[in-house]
Each structure stands twice: as structure tokens, then as C-alpha cells.
Amino acid sequence: MLRHEFRPGKLVAGFFLTLAGITYAGDAGDAWDTPWFAVIPMVVGGLCLAGVVGLLTRAVRNRRDSRRTSTPPEVDRTPQPPVPH
């Protein structure tokens, strides 16, 4: 059993933020030259993609949960004692 729920939106956001960090680290280490504005679209695009993935995940989970609860609950049919008035 999983310890926590898998959240693919957070995975996508973490990937793009890690990629932005690697890009800046490569620029700081003189491995390549990165313009200052190059990381902004990468981060914003990654966060937007993470939001879309999060919304899709939520929609799929809500649909799956609604299918599970759509069956009527079982009714207890054992005789109950009369209630005094």
C-alpha cells in the first residue's frame, strides 16, 4: 500500500523547476551560456503543464470515486424492536 497519494502534477512541476536549476547551474559553471530570460518560459510553461496534469488527475479520480459510490448501500433488513411513544 502506498504511504501517500501519487500526484503527477507535482512531479511535472518538480521536473521543470529542477530543469531550470540545472540550466542556471550550467550557466554559472561556464558549461554553456544561458540568456537571463530563457528560464522564465521554461518555469511558467512547466507550472501551467503541472496545473493541467493536476486538473486531469483530479477529474479522473473524481470520476472513478463516483463510480464506486454509485451502487446503492446495503440496507439492514433485520427486524427492529418497536419504539415506545
Side-chain angles (χ1 to χ4, degrees), residues 16-84:
F16 277 95
L17 291 174
T18 302
L19 185 64
I22 290 170
T23 302
Y24 271 134
D27 185 36
D30 290 329
W32 54 77
D33 187 32
T34 305
W36 66 269
F37 57 85
V39 176
I40 294 171
M42 185 185 324
V43 170
V44 172
L47 291 176
C48 289
L49 184 61
V52 169
V53 169
L55 287 173
L56 287 174
T57 303
R58 187 176 191 184
V60 168
R61 286 186 179 157
N62 284 343
R63 184 173 179 179
R64 183 181 61 199
D65 290 342
S66 68
R67 284 185 179 178
R68 278 189 197 159
T69 60
S70 64
T71 59
E74 293 184 22
V75 178
D76 185 19
R77 299 198 185 265
T78 58
Q80 300 295 325
V83 179

